[in-house]
Amino acid sequence: MKPDQAAIRVDGLRKSYKSVIAVDDLSFQVEAGEIFGMVGPNGSGKTTTIECIEGLRQPDEGQISVLGMDPVKDIYELRERTGIQLQAANLPRRMRVGEALELFASFYRQPRDPRPLMEGLGLADKERVYFSQLSGGQQQRLFVALAMINQPEVVFLDELTTGLDPRARHKIWDLVREMREQGTTIFLTTHYMDEAERLCDRVGIIDQGRMIALDTPDQLVQRLGMATRISFRVNGGSRRGKNGRGKETPTGFDEAKVGVLEGVQRVERQGDQVILYGQGAQLIGAVVNTLETEGIAFNNLRSDAANLEDVFLALTGRQLRTD
C-alpha cells in the first residue's frame, strides 16, 4: 500500500438479495491508522457492507480496495494482512485458550508470539482454561487476540461489545485504543452510540443501504445544530386559578408552548416524557419559566449535550438501538 493510499476504499457498492436491496451505491474510504465506525439499525446494510469488504460476499456492482488489493481476488494475501472478529463467533467448548491461539497462529506465515498477546489482553492466567469456562468479556478478549495473532494492518470488529457488562466493555475499548496506537487501522460496526462516540475518529451512519452522514463525532453533532437536549416528565400537568390561587385542575401539556421558544428546534413526547432539542445560553431558563407560568407540574428535568444518537434520530426519525 502506498503511504498516501486509503486503507479501505469503497466506490459505488451495490448488493441485493433477490428483490431486497441491502446496499445501494455506497461510497466511502477509511484512512490508514484511524478507527472508523459504521453505525445503523438492523437491516441497514452494515453487515453486508463489512462482509463485502472482508471478501466474504461478492458485490453486485462497485469497486472495493483493501490495502490496495481486491478483497475477492486477493483474499489469501489479504488474510495474511487483516484480522477479523466476527459478530457471531464460537470455539469448541473444551478448547483451551492457549490451544486456540496456537491453532490460529499456525494459519499464518508470520504470526505473533501468543504469550505477550495473552499478557496484554489479560489472558495470561487463562492459558489452560477451557473456552466454555471463560466469562463473556474474556471470550471477547480471546476473539480480539485471535484477530490480532497475524499482526494485521487492518482489523474488522463487528458488534464487538454486544452483551457485555460495562466493565468488560471499557476493557475492550482500552484494547481497541491500544491497537490504534500501534498503527493498526480499525473498522468497527456497533449498535452503541456511546461506543462509536468514544472510540471512533470518524463515524459513518448507514440507513437503508446508503451512507446518510459521515464525519467526526463532534462534527456530526455540530452539523446537527442541536447543542442541548433537555428532558423532563410532565405527569399530565396542573393549573391553578388566577394569581396562583384556588383549586388545582388537571391540564394537558401543550408541546407548542415550549416549541415556540427562541432556540428550540424540535420537541418530542413519549407518554409523560418530553425531550426538547435546541441551543442558546438561556434555553433551560426559558423552558422552566414557561412550564411554571403555564402551571405545568414537571419533574426529573435534566440537560445534556446533544450526542450521536440525537444525530441519528434527527436524520432518520427512529431509534438506533434495536436490541
Side-chain angles (χ1 to χ4, degrees), residues 101-131:
L101 285 163
E102 289 179 4
L103 174 64
F104 276 66
S106 70
F107 299 156
Y108 304 103
R109 293 192 293 265
Q110 296 181 321
R112 180 178 305 196
D113 184 346
R115 288 167 296 182
L117 193 58
M118 283 190 288
E119 291 176 3
L121 292 169
L123 296 172
D125 61 342
K126 305 296 180 182
E127 182 176 3
R128 299 289 299 169
V129 175
Y130 293 125
F131 175 77

PDB file of all heavy atoms in Angstrom, residues 101-131:
ATOM      1  N   LEU A 101      -5.043 -20.092  20.381  1.00  0.00           N
ATOM      2  CA  LEU A 101      -4.069 -19.146  19.835  1.00  0.00           C
ATOM      3  C   LEU A 101      -2.998 -19.860  19.012  1.00  0.00           C
ATOM      4  O   LEU A 101      -2.583 -19.376  17.959  1.00  0.00           O
ATOM      5  CB  LEU A 101      -3.437 -18.350  20.970  1.00  0.00           C
ATOM      6  CG  LEU A 101      -4.350 -17.269  21.566  1.00  0.00           C
ATOM      7  CD1 LEU A 101      -3.848 -16.811  22.926  1.00  0.00           C
ATOM      8  CD2 LEU A 101      -4.464 -16.096  20.617  1.00  0.00           C
ATOM      9  N   GLU A 102      -2.553 -21.005  19.483  1.00  0.00           N
ATOM     10  CA  GLU A 102      -1.561 -21.775  18.727  1.00  0.00           C
ATOM     11  C   GLU A 102      -2.139 -22.261  17.403  1.00  0.00           C
ATOM     12  O   GLU A 102      -1.460 -22.237  16.367  1.00  0.00           O
ATOM     13  CB  GLU A 102      -1.080 -22.968  19.556  1.00  0.00           C
ATOM     14  CG  GLU A 102      -0.203 -22.575  20.743  1.00  0.00           C
ATOM     15  CD  GLU A 102       0.230 -23.781  21.551  1.00  0.00           C
ATOM     16  OE1 GLU A 102      -0.103 -24.927  21.140  1.00  0.00           O
ATOM     17  OE2 GLU A 102       0.882 -23.589  22.596  1.00  0.00           O
ATOM     18  N   LEU A 103      -3.390 -22.703  17.417  1.00  0.00           N
ATOM     19  CA  LEU A 103      -4.032 -23.168  16.189  1.00  0.00           C
ATOM     20  C   LEU A 103      -4.128 -22.044  15.172  1.00  0.00           C
ATOM     21  O   LEU A 103      -3.748 -22.205  14.003  1.00  0.00           O
ATOM     22  CB  LEU A 103      -5.423 -23.715  16.497  1.00  0.00           C
ATOM     23  CG  LEU A 103      -6.278 -24.116  15.277  1.00  0.00           C
ATOM     24  CD1 LEU A 103      -5.626 -25.262  14.523  1.00  0.00           C
ATOM     25  CD2 LEU A 103      -7.689 -24.493  15.715  1.00  0.00           C
ATOM     26  N   PHE A 104      -4.637 -20.876  15.597  1.00  0.00           N
ATOM     27  CA  PHE A 104      -4.796 -19.754  14.678  1.00  0.00           C
ATOM     28  C   PHE A 104      -3.443 -19.230  14.215  1.00  0.00           C
ATOM     29  O   PHE A 104      -3.310 -18.799  13.067  1.00  0.00           O
ATOM     30  CB  PHE A 104      -5.620 -18.643  15.334  1.00  0.00           C
ATOM     31  CG  PHE A 104      -7.107 -18.840  15.214  1.00  0.00           C
ATOM     32  CD1 PHE A 104      -7.735 -19.901  15.854  1.00  0.00           C
ATOM     33  CD2 PHE A 104      -7.883 -17.985  14.453  1.00  0.00           C
ATOM     34  CE1 PHE A 104      -9.097 -20.098  15.751  1.00  0.00           C
ATOM     35  CE2 PHE A 104      -9.252 -18.173  14.327  1.00  0.00           C
ATOM     36  CZ  PHE A 104      -9.863 -19.233  14.977  1.00  0.00           C
ATOM     37  N   ALA A 105      -2.439 -19.277  15.066  1.00  0.00           N
ATOM     38  CA  ALA A 105      -1.096 -18.832  14.672  1.00  0.00           C
ATOM     39  C   ALA A 105      -0.532 -19.701  13.559  1.00  0.00           C
ATOM     40  O   ALA A 105       0.209 -19.225  12.692  1.00  0.00           O
ATOM     41  CB  ALA A 105      -0.170 -18.849  15.881  1.00  0.00           C
ATOM     42  N   SER A 106      -0.923 -20.985  13.553  1.00  0.00           N
ATOM     43  CA  SER A 106      -0.410 -21.903  12.534  1.00  0.00           C
ATOM     44  C   SER A 106      -0.965 -21.605  11.148  1.00  0.00           C
ATOM     45  O   SER A 106      -0.454 -22.114  10.144  1.00  0.00           O
ATOM     46  CB  SER A 106      -0.751 -23.350  12.918  1.00  0.00           C
ATOM     47  OG  SER A 106      -2.155 -23.606  12.814  1.00  0.00           O
ATOM     48  N   PHE A 107      -2.007 -20.770  11.061  1.00  0.00           N
ATOM     49  CA  PHE A 107      -2.602 -20.437   9.764  1.00  0.00           C
ATOM     50  C   PHE A 107      -1.789 -19.402   8.992  1.00  0.00           C
ATOM     51  O   PHE A 107      -2.022 -19.208   7.805  1.00  0.00           O
ATOM     52  CB  PHE A 107      -4.025 -19.880   9.953  1.00  0.00           C
ATOM     53  CG  PHE A 107      -4.996 -20.843  10.609  1.00  0.00           C
ATOM     54  CD1 PHE A 107      -6.118 -20.366  11.279  1.00  0.00           C
ATOM     55  CD2 PHE A 107      -4.790 -22.214  10.558  1.00  0.00           C
ATOM     56  CE1 PHE A 107      -7.015 -21.234  11.868  1.00  0.00           C
ATOM     57  CE2 PHE A 107      -5.680 -23.088  11.153  1.00  0.00           C
ATOM     58  CZ  PHE A 107      -6.795 -22.607  11.817  1.00  0.00           C
ATOM     59  N   TYR A 108      -0.845 -18.712   9.652  1.00  0.00           N
ATOM     60  CA  TYR A 108      -0.175 -17.568   9.044  1.00  0.00           C
ATOM     61  C   TYR A 108       1.328 -17.778   8.910  1.00  0.00           C
ATOM     62  O   TYR A 108       1.935 -18.531   9.668  1.00  0.00           O
ATOM     63  CB  TYR A 108      -0.456 -16.304   9.860  1.00  0.00           C
ATOM     64  CG  TYR A 108      -1.930 -16.018  10.021  1.00  0.00           C
ATOM     65  CD1 TYR A 108      -2.591 -16.298  11.219  1.00  0.00           C
ATOM     66  CD2 TYR A 108      -2.672 -15.493   8.969  1.00  0.00           C
ATOM     67  CE1 TYR A 108      -3.941 -16.052  11.367  1.00  0.00           C
ATOM     68  CE2 TYR A 108      -4.034 -15.250   9.100  1.00  0.00           C
ATOM     69  CZ  TYR A 108      -4.661 -15.527  10.304  1.00  0.00           C
ATOM     70  OH  TYR A 108      -5.999 -15.297  10.435  1.00  0.00           O
ATOM     71  N   ARG A 109       1.921 -17.068   7.944  1.00  0.00           N
ATOM     72  CA  ARG A 109       3.357 -17.195   7.691  1.00  0.00           C
ATOM     73  C   ARG A 109       4.187 -16.541   8.779  1.00  0.00           C
ATOM     74  O   ARG A 109       5.235 -17.048   9.158  1.00  0.00           O
ATOM     75  CB  ARG A 109       3.694 -16.563   6.335  1.00  0.00           C
ATOM     76  CG  ARG A 109       3.105 -17.295   5.134  1.00  0.00           C
ATOM     77  CD  ARG A 109       3.715 -16.780   3.837  1.00  0.00           C
ATOM     78  NE  ARG A 109       3.339 -15.404   3.556  1.00  0.00           N
ATOM     79  CZ  ARG A 109       2.316 -15.058   2.784  1.00  0.00           C
ATOM     80  NH1 ARG A 109       1.563 -16.010   2.222  1.00  0.00           N
ATOM     81  NH2 ARG A 109       2.025 -13.800   2.550  1.00  0.00           N
ATOM     82  N   GLN A 110       3.726 -15.395   9.295  1.00  0.00           N
ATOM     83  CA  GLN A 110       4.485 -14.663  10.308  1.00  0.00           C
ATOM     84  C   GLN A 110       3.578 -14.278  11.473  1.00  0.00           C
ATOM     85  O   GLN A 110       3.247 -13.108  11.670  1.00  0.00           O
ATOM     86  CB  GLN A 110       5.122 -13.409   9.699  1.00  0.00           C
ATOM     87  CG  GLN A 110       6.164 -13.730   8.632  1.00  0.00           C
ATOM     88  CD  GLN A 110       6.788 -12.466   8.064  1.00  0.00           C
ATOM     89  OE1 GLN A 110       6.118 -11.454   7.841  1.00  0.00           O
ATOM     90  NE2 GLN A 110       8.091 -12.521   7.844  1.00  0.00           N
ATOM     91  N   PRO A 111       3.182 -15.257  12.267  1.00  0.00           N
ATOM     92  CA  PRO A 111       2.272 -14.956  13.375  1.00  0.00           C
ATOM     93  C   PRO A 111       2.991 -14.273  14.528  1.00  0.00           C
ATOM     94  O   PRO A 111       4.217 -14.309  14.641  1.00  0.00           O
ATOM     95  CB  PRO A 111       1.770 -16.339  13.788  1.00  0.00           C
ATOM     96  CG  PRO A 111       2.921 -17.247  13.464  1.00  0.00           C
ATOM     97  CD  PRO A 111       3.510 -16.681  12.197  1.00  0.00           C
ATOM     98  N   ARG A 112       2.209 -13.668  15.387  1.00  0.00           N
ATOM     99  CA  ARG A 112       2.729 -13.045  16.600  1.00  0.00           C
ATOM    100  C   ARG A 112       2.915 -14.104  17.669  1.00  0.00           C
ATOM    101  O   ARG A 112       2.212 -15.117  17.699  1.00  0.00           O
ATOM    102  CB  ARG A 112       1.737 -11.983  17.069  1.00  0.00           C
ATOM    103  CG  ARG A 112       2.132 -11.237  18.313  1.00  0.00           C
ATOM    104  CD  ARG A 112       1.110 -10.181  18.661  1.00  0.00           C
ATOM    105  NE  ARG A 112       0.887  -9.269  17.554  1.00  0.00           N
ATOM    106  CZ  ARG A 112       0.295  -8.090  17.683  1.00  0.00           C
ATOM    107  NH1 ARG A 112      -0.115  -7.683  18.871  1.00  0.00           N
ATOM    108  NH2 ARG A 112       0.115  -7.322  16.642  1.00  0.00           N
ATOM    109  N   ASP A 113       3.863 -13.883  18.571  1.00  0.00           N
ATOM    110  CA  ASP A 113       4.047 -14.772  19.714  1.00  0.00           C
ATOM    111  C   ASP A 113       2.799 -14.678  20.595  1.00  0.00           C
ATOM    112  O   ASP A 113       2.456 -13.588  21.067  1.00  0.00           O
ATOM    113  CB  ASP A 113       5.288 -14.340  20.499  1.00  0.00           C
ATOM    114  CG  ASP A 113       5.601 -15.296  21.655  1.00  0.00           C
ATOM    115  OD1 ASP A 113       4.735 -16.123  22.027  1.00  0.00           O
ATOM    116  OD2 ASP A 113       6.715 -15.208  22.198  1.00  0.00           O
ATOM    117  N   PRO A 114       2.095 -15.772  20.833  1.00  0.00           N
ATOM    118  CA  PRO A 114       0.838 -15.711  21.595  1.00  0.00           C
ATOM    119  C   PRO A 114       1.009 -15.253  23.034  1.00  0.00           C
ATOM    120  O   PRO A 114       0.096 -14.654  23.603  1.00  0.00           O
ATOM    121  CB  PRO A 114       0.316 -17.151  21.540  1.00  0.00           C
ATOM    122  CG  PRO A 114       1.006 -17.773  20.378  1.00  0.00           C
ATOM    123  CD  PRO A 114       2.349 -17.129  20.319  1.00  0.00           C
ATOM    124  N   ARG A 115       2.170 -15.525  23.649  1.00  0.00           N
ATOM    125  CA  ARG A 115       2.322 -15.239  25.078  1.00  0.00           C
ATOM    126  C   ARG A 115       2.228 -13.741  25.414  1.00  0.00           C
ATOM    127  O   ARG A 115       1.455 -13.360  26.309  1.00  0.00           O
ATOM    128  CB  ARG A 115       3.640 -15.842  25.582  1.00  0.00           C
ATOM    129  CG  ARG A 115       3.588 -17.381  25.679  1.00  0.00           C
ATOM    130  CD  ARG A 115       4.943 -17.968  25.872  1.00  0.00           C
ATOM    131  NE  ARG A 115       5.811 -17.703  24.708  1.00  0.00           N
ATOM    132  CZ  ARG A 115       7.051 -18.146  24.599  1.00  0.00           C
ATOM    133  NH1 ARG A 115       7.595 -18.859  25.570  1.00  0.00           N
ATOM    134  NH2 ARG A 115       7.768 -17.881  23.523  1.00  0.00           N
ATOM    135  N   PRO A 116       2.977 -12.869  24.734  1.00  0.00           N
ATOM    136  CA  PRO A 116       2.794 -11.429  25.023  1.00  0.00           C
ATOM    137  C   PRO A 116       1.379 -10.939  24.709  1.00  0.00           C
ATOM    138  O   PRO A 116       0.864 -10.050  25.379  1.00  0.00           O
ATOM    139  CB  PRO A 116       3.826 -10.762  24.098  1.00  0.00           C
ATOM    140  CG  PRO A 116       4.838 -11.808  23.818  1.00  0.00           C
ATOM    141  CD  PRO A 116       4.068 -13.087  23.782  1.00  0.00           C
ATOM    142  N   LEU A 117       0.763 -11.541  23.705  1.00  0.00           N
ATOM    143  CA  LEU A 117      -0.599 -11.155  23.347  1.00  0.00           C
ATOM    144  C   LEU A 117      -1.567 -11.501  24.472  1.00  0.00           C
ATOM    145  O   LEU A 117      -2.438 -10.705  24.830  1.00  0.00           O
ATOM    146  CB  LEU A 117      -1.005 -11.851  22.046  1.00  0.00           C
ATOM    147  CG  LEU A 117      -2.274 -11.354  21.346  1.00  0.00           C
ATOM    148  CD1 LEU A 117      -2.161  -9.878  21.010  1.00  0.00           C
ATOM    149  CD2 LEU A 117      -2.510 -12.166  20.074  1.00  0.00           C
ATOM    150  N   MET A 118      -1.417 -12.695  25.048  1.00  0.00           N
ATOM    151  CA  MET A 118      -2.270 -13.089  26.169  1.00  0.00           C
ATOM    152  C   MET A 118      -2.048 -12.177  27.367  1.00  0.00           C
ATOM    153  O   MET A 118      -2.996 -11.799  28.058  1.00  0.00           O
ATOM    154  CB  MET A 118      -2.001 -14.551  26.550  1.00  0.00           C
ATOM    155  CG  MET A 118      -2.638 -15.563  25.606  1.00  0.00           C
ATOM    156  SD  MET A 118      -2.550 -17.258  26.218  1.00  0.00           S
ATOM    157  CE  MET A 118      -0.806 -17.599  26.004  1.00  0.00           C
ATOM    158  N   GLU A 119      -0.794 -11.803  27.616  1.00  0.00           N
ATOM    159  CA  GLU A 119      -0.491 -10.917  28.736  1.00  0.00           C
ATOM    160  C   GLU A 119      -1.131  -9.546  28.531  1.00  0.00           C
ATOM    161  O   GLU A 119      -1.721  -8.978  29.454  1.00  0.00           O
ATOM    162  CB  GLU A 119       1.025 -10.784  28.896  1.00  0.00           C
ATOM    163  CG  GLU A 119       1.708 -12.065  29.375  1.00  0.00           C
ATOM    164  CD  GLU A 119       3.211 -11.927  29.431  1.00  0.00           C
ATOM    165  OE1 GLU A 119       3.713 -10.813  29.156  1.00  0.00           O
ATOM    166  OE2 GLU A 119       3.880 -12.930  29.747  1.00  0.00           O
ATOM    167  N   GLY A 120      -1.003  -9.009  27.315  1.00  0.00           N
ATOM    168  CA  GLY A 120      -1.567  -7.696  27.025  1.00  0.00           C
ATOM    169  C   GLY A 120      -3.076  -7.665  27.107  1.00  0.00           C
ATOM    170  O   GLY A 120      -3.666  -6.611  27.385  1.00  0.00           O
ATOM    171  N   LEU A 121      -3.726  -8.801  26.871  1.00  0.00           N
ATOM    172  CA  LEU A 121      -5.183  -8.876  26.882  1.00  0.00           C
ATOM    173  C   LEU A 121      -5.732  -9.435  28.191  1.00  0.00           C
ATOM    174  O   LEU A 121      -6.927  -9.713  28.296  1.00  0.00           O
ATOM    175  CB  LEU A 121      -5.670  -9.736  25.707  1.00  0.00           C
ATOM    176  CG  LEU A 121      -5.437  -9.135  24.319  1.00  0.00           C
ATOM    177  CD1 LEU A 121      -5.705 -10.147  23.232  1.00  0.00           C
ATOM    178  CD2 LEU A 121      -6.330  -7.927  24.128  1.00  0.00           C
ATOM    179  N   GLY A 122      -4.849  -9.607  29.178  1.00  0.00           N
ATOM    180  CA  GLY A 122      -5.306 -10.099  30.470  1.00  0.00           C
ATOM    181  C   GLY A 122      -5.726 -11.551  30.449  1.00  0.00           C
ATOM    182  O   GLY A 122      -6.588 -11.969  31.240  1.00  0.00           O
ATOM    183  N   LEU A 123      -5.118 -12.350  29.577  1.00  0.00           N
ATOM    184  CA  LEU A 123      -5.481 -13.763  29.459  1.00  0.00           C
ATOM    185  C   LEU A 123      -4.330 -14.696  29.828  1.00  0.00           C
ATOM    186  O   LEU A 123      -4.425 -15.913  29.629  1.00  0.00           O
ATOM    187  CB  LEU A 123      -5.925 -14.075  28.017  1.00  0.00           C
ATOM    188  CG  LEU A 123      -7.195 -13.373  27.533  1.00  0.00           C
ATOM    189  CD1 LEU A 123      -7.396 -13.615  26.042  1.00  0.00           C
ATOM    190  CD2 LEU A 123      -8.417 -13.856  28.316  1.00  0.00           C
ATOM    191  N   ALA A 124      -3.245 -14.126  30.386  1.00  0.00           N
ATOM    192  CA  ALA A 124      -2.064 -14.938  30.671  1.00  0.00           C
ATOM    193  C   ALA A 124      -2.369 -16.070  31.652  1.00  0.00           C
ATOM    194  O   ALA A 124      -1.838 -17.182  31.524  1.00  0.00           O
ATOM    195  CB  ALA A 124      -0.946 -14.053  31.218  1.00  0.00           C
ATOM    196  N   ASP A 125      -3.253 -15.817  32.623  1.00  0.00           N
ATOM    197  CA  ASP A 125      -3.589 -16.845  33.607  1.00  0.00           C
ATOM    198  C   ASP A 125      -4.713 -17.757  33.134  1.00  0.00           C
ATOM    199  O   ASP A 125      -5.173 -18.622  33.900  1.00  0.00           O
ATOM    200  CB  ASP A 125      -3.976 -16.199  34.932  1.00  0.00           C
ATOM    201  CG  ASP A 125      -5.186 -15.288  34.815  1.00  0.00           C
ATOM    202  OD1 ASP A 125      -5.511 -14.880  33.675  1.00  0.00           O
ATOM    203  OD2 ASP A 125      -5.819 -14.987  35.852  1.00  0.00           O
ATOM    204  N   LYS A 126      -5.156 -17.583  31.879  1.00  0.00           N
ATOM    205  CA  LYS A 126      -6.242 -18.403  31.333  1.00  0.00           C
ATOM    206  C   LYS A 126      -5.749 -19.363  30.248  1.00  0.00           C
ATOM    207  O   LYS A 126      -6.567 -19.984  29.559  1.00  0.00           O
ATOM    208  CB  LYS A 126      -7.337 -17.505  30.736  1.00  0.00           C
ATOM    209  CG  LYS A 126      -7.901 -16.470  31.701  1.00  0.00           C
ATOM    210  CD  LYS A 126      -8.612 -17.123  32.869  1.00  0.00           C
ATOM    211  CE  LYS A 126      -9.169 -16.059  33.814  1.00  0.00           C
ATOM    212  NZ  LYS A 126      -9.832 -16.676  35.001  1.00  0.00           N
ATOM    213  N   GLU A 127      -4.448 -19.493  30.104  1.00  0.00           N
ATOM    214  CA  GLU A 127      -3.901 -20.293  29.004  1.00  0.00           C
ATOM    215  C   GLU A 127      -4.414 -21.726  29.004  1.00  0.00           C
ATOM    216  O   GLU A 127      -4.690 -22.292  27.946  1.00  0.00           O
ATOM    217  CB  GLU A 127      -2.371 -20.293  29.068  1.00  0.00           C
ATOM    218  CG  GLU A 127      -1.716 -21.060  27.925  1.00  0.00           C
ATOM    219  CD  GLU A 127      -0.205 -20.955  27.949  1.00  0.00           C
ATOM    220  OE1 GLU A 127       0.341 -20.340  28.889  1.00  0.00           O
ATOM    221  OE2 GLU A 127       0.445 -21.512  27.030  1.00  0.00           O
ATOM    222  N   ARG A 128      -4.599 -22.312  30.162  1.00  0.00           N
ATOM    223  CA  ARG A 128      -5.034 -23.704  30.255  1.00  0.00           C
ATOM    224  C   ARG A 128      -6.537 -23.819  30.518  1.00  0.00           C
ATOM    225  O   ARG A 128      -7.056 -24.914  30.718  1.00  0.00           O
ATOM    226  CB  ARG A 128      -4.273 -24.401  31.396  1.00  0.00           C
ATOM    227  CG  ARG A 128      -2.767 -24.426  31.214  1.00  0.00           C
ATOM    228  CD  ARG A 128      -2.341 -25.357  30.115  1.00  0.00           C
ATOM    229  NE  ARG A 128      -2.736 -26.737  30.397  1.00  0.00           N
ATOM    230  CZ  ARG A 128      -2.685 -27.740  29.516  1.00  0.00           C
ATOM    231  NH1 ARG A 128      -2.281 -27.483  28.271  1.00  0.00           N
ATOM    232  NH2 ARG A 128      -3.036 -28.959  29.849  1.00  0.00           N
ATOM    233  N   VAL A 129      -7.237 -22.716  30.482  1.00  0.00           N
ATOM    234  CA  VAL A 129      -8.679 -22.721  30.777  1.00  0.00           C
ATOM    235  C   VAL A 129      -9.471 -23.025  29.513  1.00  0.00           C
ATOM    236  O   VAL A 129      -9.149 -22.532  28.424  1.00  0.00           O
ATOM    237  CB  VAL A 129      -9.110 -21.355  31.361  1.00  0.00           C
ATOM    238  CG1 VAL A 129     -10.623 -21.292  31.551  1.00  0.00           C
ATOM    239  CG2 VAL A 129      -8.392 -21.092  32.672  1.00  0.00           C
ATOM    240  N   TYR A 130     -10.525 -23.848  29.653  1.00  0.00           N
ATOM    241  CA  TYR A 130     -11.391 -24.159  28.520  1.00  0.00           C
ATOM    242  C   TYR A 130     -12.189 -22.923  28.093  1.00  0.00           C
ATOM    243  O   TYR A 130     -12.540 -22.080  28.915  1.00  0.00           O
ATOM    244  CB  TYR A 130     -12.370 -25.286  28.860  1.00  0.00           C
ATOM    245  CG  TYR A 130     -11.726 -26.634  29.083  1.00  0.00           C
ATOM    246  CD1 TYR A 130     -11.944 -27.348  30.265  1.00  0.00           C
ATOM    247  CD2 TYR A 130     -10.902 -27.200  28.104  1.00  0.00           C
ATOM    248  CE1 TYR A 130     -11.360 -28.588  30.470  1.00  0.00           C
ATOM    249  CE2 TYR A 130     -10.313 -28.450  28.301  1.00  0.00           C
ATOM    250  CZ  TYR A 130     -10.534 -29.132  29.487  1.00  0.00           C
ATOM    251  OH  TYR A 130      -9.950 -30.344  29.690  1.00  0.00           O
ATOM    252  N   PHE A 131     -12.500 -22.866  26.817  1.00  0.00           N
ATOM    253  CA  PHE A 131     -13.289 -21.763  26.281  1.00  0.00           C
ATOM    254  C   PHE A 131     -14.618 -21.641  27.005  1.00  0.00           C
ATOM    255  O   PHE A 131     -15.078 -20.525  27.303  1.00  0.00           O
ATOM    256  CB  PHE A 131     -13.523 -21.974  24.782  1.00  0.00           C
ATOM    257  CG  PHE A 131     -14.416 -20.949  24.153  1.00  0.00           C
ATOM    258  CD1 PHE A 131     -13.946 -19.687  23.853  1.00  0.00           C
ATOM    259  CD2 PHE A 131     -15.746 -21.251  23.865  1.00  0.00           C
ATOM    260  CE1 PHE A 131     -14.774 -18.724  23.286  1.00  0.00           C
ATOM    261  CE2 PHE A 131     -16.578 -20.302  23.286  1.00  0.00           C
ATOM    262  CZ  PHE A 131     -16.083 -19.036  23.000  1.00  0.00           C
TER     263      PHE A 131
END
